[in-house]
Amino acid sequence: MEIDLDFGPLIASWRFLLGGLGLTLALSALTVLCSLVLGGAVGLARCYGPRWLRWPLVFYIDSMRAIPVLVVLVWGYFALPLVSGVTLPPFWAALAALSVHIAAYVAEIVRAGIESVRPGQTRAALALGMSRAEAVCQVVLPQALVRMLPAFGSILSITIKDTAIASVIAVPEYLNCSQTLAGQSFRPIEVWFVAMAVYFVILFPVTRAVDIAYARLASLGRS
Amino acid sequence: MTLDWAIVWENAGALARGAEITVLLAVATMLLAIPGGVLLALMRLSPVRPLALASAGFTEFFRNLPLLLVIYAAYYILPLTTGISFSPFATALVALALNVSAYNGETFRAGIQSIRKGQSEAALALGMSRAQVMREVVLPQAARRIAPVLASTWVSLFKDTSLVSVIAVGELAYTAMRIRSQSFRVLEMLTAMAAIYWALGYPQAKLTDWLYRRFGVRE
């Protein structure tokens, strides 16, 4: 079947789409930052924090692994304001919901990284007279961090993909702009082809870099 | 603020039906994506270069797109290019199966490649045929490594089915959000939706952890 393609309406709206792309990238960057900080704190607290703190943290992590990010997003945007009385604008609600969700995955990566350093090393460091904090900061974490790096790269590509879900609560990021344009221009095929190309061009280098990082760094973290 | 949880019980039937469609969609997707993944892995590992390249291209394409975009694109592009009108469920199934096949293909390929080459060479030297080597030496070991990863993919898929609510497939998320907008009981319905997903997903996540502990590779 012959389909005539007309990219005119898309080219005419390039500023609109570029704005959406900017928002996608900004939301991704902020989400990665927030979830690394939050997830890092949760992961460390789970491994080294007080015992009573552990089960609520495990409960949080496992719950986030069980609930779809869309549900967290929609609940955070529509239901949370009814409980808390605070209404966040869509962008900030999306940032908060995505960060809370992705931080759970970061926490798991941090825990796996820390646990991958054999406990004998910590015991040896303690036996040499290092304090607990010194053993963690100077022996465990430097090795664990190297092993976490490729997984953090995966978090980056997962985050960029997940920001598309923010379109559901009307954050005008790239997917949302594409939806708008697909409706207005009556050229949905062109709009969605371009959207696929745009996301692919952003994400492909990230996943390639992660694959290379896995291959390169895997040997470095070995002990 | 007054809460009226009765709305959840009144709509329990509709929610159960939604959850049923969620499960059905996830199962149907996996049933398509496992053969799809096997096919992609076989193509990727075959000595015929065009086949390997086509498989790699397909995999990289779908691994690098947001699933929500694939769903929208399938919704708009499928009927316009094929001339067939797909039901929302069928559209969702196509989009999810494409996405999950790409991931499964990588899982199968990595599982097969994780079995050292020396083993197949030894088996061939002992006089086994290529098919025998695959069936009796490589696959039994690869299966143990593939099982936990496949379980993770299943958990992700189960959650990702919620995304097809945007094209009006009457699964759990869509049903809950529809009742929310009809009844205006926002907090109750959305909390019920989250709770149902949690109740369904939590045991799956725990089971996956157990599979990793049971079958995971330790070095």
Side-chain angles (χ1 to χ4, degrees):
Chain A
M1 184 171 128
E2 193 80 6
I3 305 162
D4 66 313
L5 296 176
D6 176 12
F7 290 91
L10 265 154
I11 295 162
S13 316
W14 69 273
R15 268 170 208 286
F16 176 64
L17 288 175
L18 198 65
L21 185 59
L23 213 56
T24 288
L25 296 178
L27 184 58
S28 305
L30 285 172
T31 304
V32 166
L33 201 70
C34 292
S35 43
L36 283 183
V37 171
L38 181 62
V42 171
L44 285 174
R46 184 178 169 188
C47 290
Y48 299 116
R51 204 162 268 285
W52 59 265
L53 197 59
R54 268 174 222 180
W55 83 258
L57 291 181
V58 172
F59 182 75
Y60 154 71
I61 292 168
D62 288 341
S63 297
M64 283 303 148
R65 287 170 58 206
I67 301 176
V69 62
L70 174 78
V71 173
V72 177
L73 194 70
V74 168
W75 199 90
Y77 184 62
F78 293 107
L80 190 62
L82 298 176
V83 184
S84 66
V86 187
T87 308
L88 286 175
F91 181 86
W92 300 104
L95 174 62
L98 289 171
S99 299
V100 165
H101 194 259
I102 294 167
Y105 291 87
V106 173
E108 280 292 89
I109 293 168
V110 169
R111 181 188 61 88
I114 289 171
E115 284 181 356
S116 76
V117 180
R118 277 175 291 144
Q121 294 202 23
T122 312
R123 287 199 291 266
L126 293 175
L128 286 170
M130 284 178 146
S131 71
R132 183 117 193 114
E134 277 178 319
V136 170
C137 293
Q138 292 176 20
V139 178
V140 178
L141 284 186
Q143 299 180 71
L145 268 174
V146 173
R147 293 178 193 181
M148 292 174 205
L149 279 179
F152 286 154
S154 309
I155 288 289
L156 177 60
S157 84
I158 290 171
T159 304
I160 297 173
K161 285 189 266 184
D162 278 358
T163 57
I165 302 172
S167 63
V168 174
I169 58 166
V171 178
E173 46 68 70
Y174 193 83
L175 190 74
N176 192 264
C177 291
S178 295
Q179 267 175 283
T180 310
L181 200 60
Q184 286 173 355
S185 66
F186 302 107
R187 287 277 164 200
I189 294 197
E190 291 86 339
V191 169
W192 294 118
F193 271 133
V194 169
M196 288 197 275
V198 165
Y199 274 103
F200 185 80
V201 165
I202 298 170
L203 284 159
F204 185 66
V206 176
T207 48
R208 284 307 303 157
V210 172
D211 286 348
I212 293 168
Y214 266 110
R216 286 259 174 88
L217 295 175
S219 57
L220 289 180
R222 225 159 256 164
S223 61
Chain B
M1 184 174 58
T2 52
L3 289 177
D4 177 16
W5 292 98
I7 189 81
V8 177
W9 307 121
E10 281 161 23
N11 291 288
L15 289 171
R17 179 84 191 115
E20 200 183 309
I21 295 175
T22 290
V23 174
L24 197 69
L25 184 59
V27 170
T29 303
M30 232 357 162
L31 286 180
L32 286 178
I34 287 178
V38 169
L39 184 69
L40 284 170
L42 289 177
M43 282 167 68
R44 188 79 178 266
L45 295 171
S46 90
V48 186
R49 242 183 115 57
L51 281 181
L53 276 175
S55 166
F58 179 93
T59 307
E60 289 303 326
F61 187 70
F62 284 102
R63 248 176 23 130
N64 286 302
L65 289 183
L67 180 56
L68 194 60
L69 172 60
V70 179
I71 293 167
Y72 276 123
Y75 188 67
Y76 283 94
I77 295 174
L78 270 184
L80 284 174
T81 49
T82 60
I84 307 164
S85 72
F86 284 77
S87 71
F89 186 88
T91 311
L93 189 58
V94 170
L96 287 169
L98 287 172
N99 177 273
V100 179
S101 295
Y103 284 98
N104 280 352
E106 284 293 274
T107 305
F108 294 141
R109 180 182 64 91
I112 291 170
Q113 283 185 335
S114 76
I115 308 304
R116 272 171 298 147
K117 232 182 165 157
Q119 294 203 22
S120 342
E121 282 161 6
L124 286 173
L126 285 170
M128 285 177 149
S129 71
R130 286 221 163 265
Q132 270 183 311
V133 171
M134 221 12 168
R135 220 174 36 237
E136 287 169 32
V137 178
V138 177
L139 286 184
Q141 299 180 74
R144 289 173 63 91
R145 301 192 177 176
I146 289 169
V149 186
L150 217 50
S152 300
T153 307
W154 164 265
V155 174
S156 298
L157 162 65
F158 191 82
K159 293 189 286 175
D160 284 345
T161 56
S162 63
L163 294 178
V164 305
S165 58
V166 298
I167 56 165
V169 178
E171 43 68 74
L172 182 53
Y174 180 81
T175 308
M177 289 197 263
R178 182 178 52 79
I179 300 168
R180 171 205 64 172
S181 51
Q182 286 166 356
S183 66
F184 300 105
R185 309 300 327 179
V186 176
L187 183 61
E188 293 89 334
M189 281 321 293
L190 293 185
T191 306
M193 167 172 80
I196 297 170
Y197 271 112
W198 183 88
L200 294 171
Y202 199 87
Q204 296 178 24
K206 282 295 177 195
L207 192 67
T208 309
D209 288 347
W210 178 81
L211 278 173
Y212 269 102
R213 277 200 304 277
R214 177 84 177 68
F215 293 119
V217 182
R218 291 192 189 282
E219 310 207 357

